[in-house]
Amino acid sequence: MNILVVGANGAIGQAVVEAFCEQYSSSVVYAVSRSHYTGAKRKQVVPVQLDTVNETAITNWLSACKAKGTAFTHAVIATGVLHDDNVTPEKRLEDVSAEAMQHYFQVNTIGPSLWVKLLVGHLAQGGSTVSVLSARVGSISDNRLGGWYGYRASKAALNMFVKTASVEYARRAKHTSLICYHPGTVDSSLSKPFQRNVKPEKLFTPAYTAAQLLAVIDQANTSESPYFIDWAGKSIPW
């Protein structure tokens, strides 16, 4: 079994790599990241360094995999940004900027969407899954608090892309389930500035949310694809 984890250097990405290694001990896990992979060294992990939002780089790498007969049973796109040196979540309309919106969409929407696009011909025929990290705040119908314009919009756009792609996947990759996964609030650098209002029992370790993702993946059924689902296995309104 071949497994792909994109964004493997992030807290969730590293935990997902570890979880797959534990659950599928005979699998090969390709850990893709923009920088040198710093996760735990395991014989079954193949570190891959490439620009995860560069379509040409992704295409070339996937083509090389296909030439070797490598098809992926599970793919998890674990990239995303809430805040960094370039952006911080907006509290009001006046905080919105074109530059921040572009950054949010580049990381949260365009990159994962490219992987969903390009993976369609590289998935195992016997049943496979493609999961992207979404967020409950990306639900349009569940938005009652406002704020976080760029993050919300970029995740909502990702959800729409996956839901739209599922129509084509149903024809071209009938064996594949598409999953938009809300990991909850995870104790990571992404959520660090926003943890003080989170109840301790609702602040999850990366290992826990990775294990919950694998449980969702194990139960995925193509007849119910696409999923917008949380760490507890509960559906979220699109």
Side-chain angles (χ1 to χ4, degrees):
M1 178 188 296
N2 297 300
I3 296 170
L4 171 66
V5 180
V6 180
N9 257 343
I12 294 178
Q14 288 192 9
V16 170
V17 170
E18 286 292 296
F20 274 126
C21 288
E22 291 291 335
Q23 185 157 326
Y24 304 107
S25 58
S26 61
S27 65
V28 178
V29 182
Y30 293 83
V32 177
S33 54
R34 289 177 297 168
S35 56
H36 177 72
Y37 179 63
T38 58
K41 302 297 186 291
R42 289 176 176 262
K43 289 183 179 180
Q44 69 194 100
V45 175
V46 178
V48 179
Q49 186 174 345
L50 60 80
D51 185 344
T52 55
V53 296
N54 183 304
E55 185 169 2
T56 300
I58 298 168
T59 299
N60 290 342
W61 182 73
L62 288 174
S63 295
C65 289
K66 193 166 191 175
K68 297 175 183 177
T70 301
F72 300 103
T73 301
H74 301 299
V76 176
I77 319 305
T79 54
V81 63
L82 174 58
H83 67 93
D84 59 15
D85 293 339
N86 298 303
V87 294
T88 189
E90 309 92 342
K91 294 182 179 180
R92 55 181 188 160
L93 280 167
E94 287 78 4
D95 297 332
V96 175
S97 73
E99 293 76 15
M101 291 288 286
Q102 288 169 352
H103 187 62
Y104 275 123
F105 272 77
Q106 182 70 25
V107 178
N108 293 337
T109 311
I110 296 173
S113 296
L114 287 174
W115 284 97
V116 172
K117 166 193 171 181
L118 296 170
L119 277 168
V120 70
H122 298 271
L123 298 163
Q125 296 294 317
S128 56
T129 65
V130 177
S131 305
V132 299
L133 288 190
S134 185
R136 191 182 303 277
V137 297
S139 168
I140 293 175
S141 58
D142 192 52
N143 182 1
R144 297 177 180 85
L145 295 177
W148 290 26
Y149 288 89
Y151 187 74
R152 285 182 183 275
S154 62
K155 290 297 188 179
L158 175 61
N159 291 347
M160 178 58 81
F161 185 93
V162 171
K163 190 163 178 58
T164 305
S166 70
V167 177
E168 198 163 343
Y169 262 71
R171 297 195 302 267
R172 299 175 57 186
K174 296 179 181 180
H175 52 278
T176 303
S177 294
L178 297 179
I179 301 167
C180 294
Y181 177 67
H182 169 57
T185 303
V186 180
D187 189 7
S188 67
S189 59
L190 184 143
S191 68
K192 192 69 71 177
F194 313 100
Q195 291 180 6
R196 64 180 177 273
N197 295 322
V198 179
K199 296 179 180 178
E201 66 272 18
K202 292 293 186 180
L203 182 62
F204 306 137
T205 65
Y208 176 77
T209 200
Q212 295 300 102
L213 171 58
L214 264 63
V216 169
I217 288 171
D218 285 346
Q219 296 172 16
N221 187 318
T222 53
S223 66
E224 298 178 15
S225 177
Y227 294 84
F228 185 16
I229 195 167
D230 72 6
W231 53 271
K234 297 179 179 178
S235 295
I236 302 172
W238 296 90

